[in-house]
Amino acid sequence: MPMPRRKYPWEKLSDAQLLQRRLSSLRVSAEGTWLEDCIDTLYEELEERGIRLRPHTWISSEWFSPADVPGIAIPFYLAHPRLMKLENKMMLDVEGGTWSECMAILRHEAGHAIQHGYQLQRRRRWQRLFGRSSKHYPRYYRPNPASRQYVQHLRLWYAQSHPDEDFAETFAVWLRPRSNWRSRYAGWPALKKLEYVDELMAEIAGKRPLVTTRERVDPLHELGQTLGEHYKKKQAFYTFRPPKTYDRDLSRLFSADPRHRRWPPASSFIRRHRARIRQLVARWTGENQLTLDAVLDDMISRCRELNLRAVGSDRKLVADFTVLLTAKTMHALFGPSRRKWIAL
């Protein structure tokens, strides 16, 4: 991605020094960065559909579209490669850090902005299909992965978390070029929602939004917390340690037989492949990489205490261990003793 035109005094700081800086001191913007191209692309997509509203954007601490504000807040770390590098180190992921991911989130947030701008939640049919927008926003939600009542756009069945998110996800699927939503969702109850969005957008095409405020909620220059404080809070939000029930499965995959003492320790094997396996499991389960990293730490500790050895080809062991971690993750999310709730 292109480097920002502007140079910043914190670019050369170490991670420890950068974490001591306040968010307000970063002073980054989307102008002159790859984000500008993403925003322009979103506007082009809206224009092609005849939607007059162009959500204004600003830099803040995270992705969001405030209630009754037809705009989109974009997280600060996406505005500079150095901040993206720190985000990846602290969170093991960069949400929206690729073109496709950024566009997916922008389309979702644009759905919120259009809902706010045209006050769509006041319509009775909107309420019948999506629910009441006034419903309490949960801190955690419990999805049904098999449900066909909702579209699937962002990870972890996000449409199921709240009526507003259901609409934003449905809008994002409808807006994405070449999404083929009619054929993809044929036979799904969710198709009725997509057809309604199609009718609704045709109705408001060319019309001026009811709400036109350009307010910016929690802009970066007003955020006094340090990056260290920001990440401490963010990490705590995603931290989850399931029960340590790995011994039996790890002993099946690895060996404690004294005859295999010359084979590499299983703990070393997991450490060597953890990043690749963590990313793969996160991709297919939707689980946060920080959560998976905590599970891997526990598994490494148990392998060390049980003196397990990685016997056999790395290729087969990586495949088998990936299946094991995936199964444990899905069991933690949706099994009989499941966590039940996903952080919103």
Side-chain angles (χ1 to χ4, degrees):
M1 67 184 62
M3 290 290 291
R5 300 165 188 167
R6 180 180 171 185
K7 297 296 182 181
Y8 298 91
W10 42 259
E11 289 182 40
K12 302 298 183 180
L13 295 179
S14 66
D15 289 344
Q17 292 171 323
L18 188 52
L19 287 170
Q20 294 176 9
R21 296 292 297 261
R22 296 190 182 278
L23 291 174
S24 57
S25 73
L26 298 177
R27 302 191 180 282
V28 291
S29 68
E31 184 179 358
T33 73
W34 70 294
L35 290 172
E36 195 170 37
D37 292 335
C38 292
I39 295 167
D40 288 344
T41 299
L42 174 68
Y43 290 169
E44 290 170 5
E45 293 177 2
L46 293 172
E47 183 178 7
E48 289 175 1
R49 299 301 187 105
I51 299 173
R52 186 171 172 178
L53 174 63
R54 300 291 181 272
H56 62 291
T57 63
W58 66 97
I59 301 297
S60 186
S61 60
E62 60 182 327
W63 289 101
F64 65 95
S65 180
D68 298 322
V69 176
I72 301 171
I74 300 174
F76 65 90
Y77 57 81
L78 293 179
H80 197 283
R82 176 68 181 94
L83 298 175
M84 291 178 69
K85 182 179 179 181
L86 181 65
E87 174 77 11
N88 190 57
K89 177 179 179 179
M90 302 303 292
M91 301 304 298
L92 304 177
D93 191 20
V94 181
E95 186 180 28
T98 65
W99 175 273
S100 60
E101 282 187 0
C102 187
M103 288 307 305
I105 299 174
L106 279 174
R107 294 184 189 109
H108 171 95
E109 298 299 345
H112 286 306
I114 287 169
Q115 175 193 332
H116 301 153
Y118 292 94
Q119 294 292 284
L120 301 178
Q121 71 277 6
R122 295 181 178 180
R123 298 173 178 243
R124 289 187 177 180
R125 192 177 175 196
W126 192 101
Q127 294 173 5
R128 286 199 303 270
L129 286 171
F130 298 104
R132 290 192 174 273
S133 181
S134 58
K135 179 182 177 182
H136 174 69
Y137 235 101
R139 184 173 174 82
Y140 298 89
Y141 66 101
R142 180 181 178 180
N144 174 10
S147 176
R148 294 194 167 194
Q149 299 285 341
Y150 306 87
V151 298
Q152 296 177 0
H153 179 64
L154 298 181
R155 68 186 187 91
L156 288 175
W157 310 277
Y158 200 48
Q160 300 185 39
S161 62
H162 188 271
D164 287 0
E165 304 301 344
D166 190 6
F167 173 78
E169 288 287 85
T170 305
F171 175 85
V173 169
W174 172 84
L175 181 64
R176 185 171 68 85
R178 299 174 297 280
S179 68
N180 300 315
W181 55 267
R182 290 188 187 278
S183 57
R184 179 183 175 188
Y185 289 96
W188 287 44
L191 183 62
K192 291 182 180 180
K193 297 176 183 178
L194 284 161
E195 291 172 340
Y196 172 66
V197 168
D198 192 47
E199 296 171 13
L200 192 55
M201 294 305 110
E203 179 186 332
I204 68 173
K207 293 184 179 179
R208 186 173 182 269
L210 302 175
V211 179
T212 57
T213 177
R214 305 288 288 182
E215 181 183 359
R216 299 184 174 194
V217 177
D218 291 338
L220 192 66
H221 70 270
E222 294 182 2
L223 302 181
Q225 64 184 150
T226 66
L227 275 81
E229 292 167 341
H230 166 77
Y231 281 117
K232 183 177 180 180
K233 181 178 179 181
K234 192 172 182 179
Q235 289 172 344
F237 187 70
Y238 288 106
T239 299
F240 167 71
R241 288 184 175 273
K244 298 181 179 180
T245 57
Y246 314 125
D247 290 12
R248 181 179 178 186
D249 296 300
L250 290 173
S251 295
R252 285 179 175 178
L253 180 59
F254 303 115
S255 175
D257 193 320
R259 293 177 300 173
H260 297 144
R261 62 182 179 275
R262 295 187 181 279
W263 285 87
S267 57
S268 299
F269 166 84
I270 297 175
R271 282 198 303 271
R272 189 167 68 253
H273 297 285
R274 71 185 298 165
R276 172 187 170 191
I277 293 172
R278 185 185 65 224
Q279 292 166 4
L280 190 61
V281 174
R283 175 186 175 188
W284 290 111
T285 65
E287 183 58 274
N288 184 273
Q289 288 201 50
L290 273 182
T291 303
L292 293 175
D293 213 48
V295 174
L296 288 168
D297 279 340
D298 284 342
M299 287 185 165
I300 289 171
S301 177
R302 293 308 300 152
C303 284
R304 191 180 296 116
E305 291 175 22
L306 295 170
N307 197 26
L308 297 177
R309 300 285 168 168
V311 179
S313 72
D314 268 20
R315 183 176 181 180
K316 185 177 186 305
L317 285 174
V318 166
D320 289 345
F321 186 78
T322 301
V323 171
L324 171 60
L325 183 59
T326 301
K328 287 296 180 183
T329 301
M330 297 307 291
H331 181 79
L333 286 171
F334 307 110
S337 57
R338 57 188 174 272
R339 185 198 328 174
K340 297 185 174 69
W341 305 104
I342 293 175
L344 182 59

